[in-house]
Coordinates of all heavy atoms in Angstrom, one line a residue:
K1 N 0.8 -1.2 0.0 CA 0.0 0.0 0.0 C 0.9 1.3 0.0 O 0.6 2.2 -0.7 CB -0.9 0.0 1.2 CG -2.1 -0.9 1.1 CD -3.0 -0.9 2.3 CE -4.2 -1.9 2.2 NZ -5.0 -1.8 3.4
E2 N 1.9 1.2 0.9 CA 2.8 2.4 0.9 C 3.5 2.6 -0.5 O 3.6 3.7 -0.9 CB 3.8 2.2 2.0 CG 3.2 2.3 3.4 CD 4.3 2.0 4.5 OE1 5.4 1.6 4.1 OE2 3.9 2.2 5.7
E3 N 3.9 1.4 -1.0 CA 4.5 1.5 -2.3 C 3.5 2.0 -3.4 O 3.8 2.9 -4.2 CB 5.0 0.1 -2.8 CG 6.3 -0.3 -2.0 CD 6.7 -1.7 -2.4 OE1 6.0 -2.3 -3.2 OE2 7.8 -2.1 -1.8
E4 N 2.3 1.4 -3.2 CA 1.2 1.9 -4.2 C 1.0 3.4 -4.0 O 0.8 4.2 -4.9 CB 0.0 1.1 -4.0 CG 0.1 -0.3 -4.5 CD -1.2 -1.1 -4.2 OE1 -2.1 -0.6 -3.5 OE2 -1.3 -2.3 -4.7
K5 N 0.9 3.8 -2.6 CA 0.7 5.2 -2.4 C 1.8 6.0 -2.9 O 1.6 7.1 -3.5 CB 0.6 5.4 -0.9 CG -0.7 5.0 -0.3 CD -0.8 5.2 1.2 CE -2.1 4.7 1.8 NZ -2.1 5.0 3.3
K6 N 3.0 5.5 -2.7 CA 4.2 6.2 -3.3 C 4.1 6.3 -4.8 O 4.3 7.4 -5.4 CB 5.5 5.5 -2.9 CG 5.8 5.7 -1.4 CD 7.1 4.9 -1.1 CE 7.5 5.1 0.4 NZ 8.7 4.4 0.7
E7 N 3.7 5.1 -5.4 CA 3.5 5.1 -6.8 C 2.4 6.1 -7.2 O 2.5 6.8 -8.3 CB 3.3 3.7 -7.3 CG 4.5 2.8 -7.3 CD 4.2 1.4 -7.7 OE1 3.0 1.1 -8.0 OE2 5.1 0.6 -7.7
E8 N 1.3 6.0 -6.4 CA 0.2 6.9 -6.7 C 0.6 8.4 -6.6 O 0.2 9.2 -7.5 CB -1.0 6.6 -5.8 CG -1.7 5.3 -6.2 CD -2.8 5.0 -5.2 OE1 -3.0 5.8 -4.2 OE2 -3.6 4.1 -5.3
K9 N 1.4 8.6 -5.6 CA 1.9 9.9 -5.4 C 2.8 10.3 -6.6 O 2.7 11.5 -7.1 CB 2.6 10.1 -4.1 CG 1.7 10.1 -2.9 CD 2.6 10.2 -1.6 CE 1.6 10.2 -0.4 NZ 2.4 10.3 0.9
K10 N 3.6 9.4 -6.9 CA 4.5 9.6 -8.1 C 3.6 9.9 -9.3 O 3.9 10.8 -10.1 CB 5.4 8.4 -8.3 CG 6.5 8.4 -7.3 CD 7.4 7.1 -7.6 CE 8.5 7.0 -6.6 NZ 9.4 5.8 -6.8
D11 N 2.5 8.9 -9.5 CA 1.7 9.1 -10.6 C 0.9 10.5 -10.6 O 0.8 11.1 -11.6 CB 0.7 8.0 -10.7 CG 1.3 6.6 -11.0 OD1 2.4 6.7 -11.6 OD2 0.8 5.6 -10.6
E12 N 0.5 10.8 -9.3 CA -0.2 12.0 -9.2 C 0.7 13.2 -9.5 O 0.3 14.2 -10.2 CB -0.7 12.2 -7.7 CG -1.9 11.3 -7.4 CD -2.4 11.4 -6.0 OE1 -1.7 12.1 -5.2 OE2 -3.4 10.7 -5.6
K13 N 1.9 13.0 -9.0 CA 2.9 14.1 -9.3 C 3.1 14.2 -10.9 O 3.1 15.3 -11.4 CB 4.2 13.8 -8.7 CG 4.2 14.1 -7.2 CD 5.5 13.8 -6.5 CE 5.5 14.1 -5.1 NZ 6.8 13.8 -4.4
K14 N 3.2 13.0 -11.4 CA 3.4 12.9 -12.9 C 2.2 13.6 -13.6 O 2.3 14.3 -14.5 CB 3.6 11.5 -13.4 CG 5.0 11.0 -13.0 CD 5.1 9.5 -13.5 CE 6.5 9.0 -13.2 NZ 6.7 7.6 -13.6
E15 N 1.0 13.1 -13.1 CA -0.2 13.7 -13.7 C -0.3 15.2 -13.5 O -0.7 15.9 -14.4 CB -1.5 13.0 -13.1 CG -1.7 11.6 -13.6 CD -2.9 10.9 -12.9 OE1 -3.5 11.6 -12.0 OE2 -3.2 9.8 -13.2
E16 N 0.0 15.6 -12.3 CA 0.0 17.0 -12.0 C 1.0 17.8 -12.9 O 0.7 18.8 -13.5 CB 0.4 17.3 -10.6 CG -0.8 17.0 -9.6 CD -0.4 17.2 -8.2 OE1 0.8 17.5 -7.9 OE2 -1.2 17.0 -7.3
E17 N 2.2 17.1 -13.1 CA 3.1 17.7 -14.0 C 2.6 17.7 -15.4 O 2.8 18.7 -16.1 CB 4.4 16.9 -13.9 CG 5.2 17.1 -12.6 CD 6.4 16.2 -12.5 OE1 6.6 15.3 -13.5 OE2 7.2 16.2 -11.5
K18 N 1.9 16.5 -15.8 CA 1.3 16.5 -17.1 C 0.3 17.6 -17.3 O 0.2 18.2 -18.3 CB 0.8 15.1 -17.4 CG 1.8 14.1 -17.7 CD 1.2 12.7 -17.9 CE 2.2 11.7 -18.2 NZ 1.6 10.4 -18.4
K19 N -0.6 17.7 -16.2 CA -1.6 18.7 -16.2 C -1.0 20.1 -16.3 O -1.5 20.9 -17.1 CB -2.5 18.6 -15.0 CG -3.5 17.4 -15.0 CD -4.3 17.4 -13.7 CE -5.2 16.2 -13.7 NZ -6.0 16.1 -12.5
E20 N 0.0 20.3 -15.5 CA 0.6 21.6 -15.6 C 1.2 21.8 -17.0 O 1.1 22.9 -17.6 CB 1.7 21.7 -14.6 CG 1.2 21.8 -13.2 CD 2.2 21.8 -12.1 OE1 3.4 21.7 -12.5 OE2 1.9 22.0 -10.9
E21 N 1.8 20.7 -17.5 CA 2.3 20.9 -18.9 C 1.2 21.1 -19.9 O 1.4 22.0 -20.8 CB 3.1 19.6 -19.3 CG 4.4 19.4 -18.5 CD 5.1 18.1 -18.9 OE1 4.4 17.3 -19.6 OE2 6.2 17.8 -18.4
K22 N 0.1 20.4 -19.7 CA -1.0 20.6 -20.6 C -1.6 22.0 -20.4 O -1.9 22.7 -21.4 CB -2.1 19.6 -20.3 CG -1.8 18.2 -20.8 CD -3.0 17.3 -20.5 CE -2.7 15.9 -21.1 NZ -3.8 14.9 -20.7
K23 N -1.7 22.5 -19.2 CA -2.2 23.8 -18.9 C -1.2 24.8 -19.6 O -1.7 25.8 -20.2 CB -2.2 24.1 -17.4 CG -3.4 23.5 -16.8 CD -3.4 23.8 -15.3 CE -4.6 23.1 -14.6 NZ -4.6 23.4 -13.1
E24 N 0.0 24.6 -19.4 CA 1.0 25.5 -20.0 C 0.8 25.4 -21.6 O 0.8 26.5 -22.2 CB 2.4 25.1 -19.6 CG 2.7 25.5 -18.2 CD 4.1 25.0 -17.8 OE1 4.7 24.4 -18.6 OE2 4.5 25.3 -16.6
E25 N 0.6 24.2 -22.1 CA 0.4 24.1 -23.5 C -0.8 24.8 -23.9 O -0.9 25.4 -25.0 CB 0.4 22.6 -23.9 CG 1.7 21.9 -23.8 CD 1.6 20.4 -24.1 OE1 0.5 19.9 -24.3 OE2 2.7 19.7 -24.1
K26 N -1.9 24.5 -23.1 CA -3.1 25.2 -23.4 C -3.0 26.7 -23.4 O -3.5 27.4 -24.2 CB -4.2 24.7 -22.5 CG -4.8 23.4 -22.8 CD -5.8 23.0 -21.8 CE -6.4 21.6 -22.1 NZ -7.4 21.2 -21.1
K27 N -2.3 27.1 -22.3 CA -2.1 28.6 -22.2 C -1.3 29.1 -23.5 O -1.7 30.1 -24.1 CB -1.3 28.9 -21.0 CG -2.1 28.8 -19.7 CD -1.3 29.1 -18.5 CE -2.1 29.0 -17.2 NZ -1.2 29.3 -16.0
E28 N -0.3 28.3 -23.8 CA 0.4 28.7 -25.0 C -0.5 28.7 -26.3 O -0.4 29.5 -27.1 CB 1.6 27.8 -25.2 CG 2.7 28.0 -24.2 CD 3.9 27.0 -24.3 OE1 3.7 26.1 -25.2 OE2 4.8 27.1 -23.5
E29 N -1.3 27.5 -26.3 CA -2.2 27.5 -27.4 C -3.2 28.6 -27.4 O -3.6 29.2 -28.5 CB -2.9 26.1 -27.4 CG -2.1 24.9 -27.8 CD -2.8 23.6 -27.6 OE1 -4.0 23.6 -27.2 OE2 -2.2 22.6 -27.9

């Protein structure tokens, strides 16, 4: 669970990063 949480956190971070990237892209778009 901790590993999954860590992975989820990592995934969340990745998703957030992706979202941020998308937002930035959208902003740029």
Side-chain angles (χ1 to χ4, degrees):
K1 285 179 180 179
E2 287 178 355
E3 287 176 357
E4 287 175 356
K5 285 179 180 180
K6 286 178 181 179
E7 287 177 356
E8 286 177 357
K9 286 179 179 179
K10 286 179 181 179
D11 293 332
E12 287 177 357
K13 284 180 180 179
K14 285 179 181 180
E15 286 177 357
E16 286 176 357
E17 288 174 356
K18 285 179 181 180
K19 284 179 181 180
E20 287 177 357
E21 287 176 358
K22 284 180 181 179
K23 283 179 182 180
E24 287 176 356
E25 286 176 358
K26 283 180 181 180
K27 284 178 181 180
E28 287 175 358
E29 286 175 358

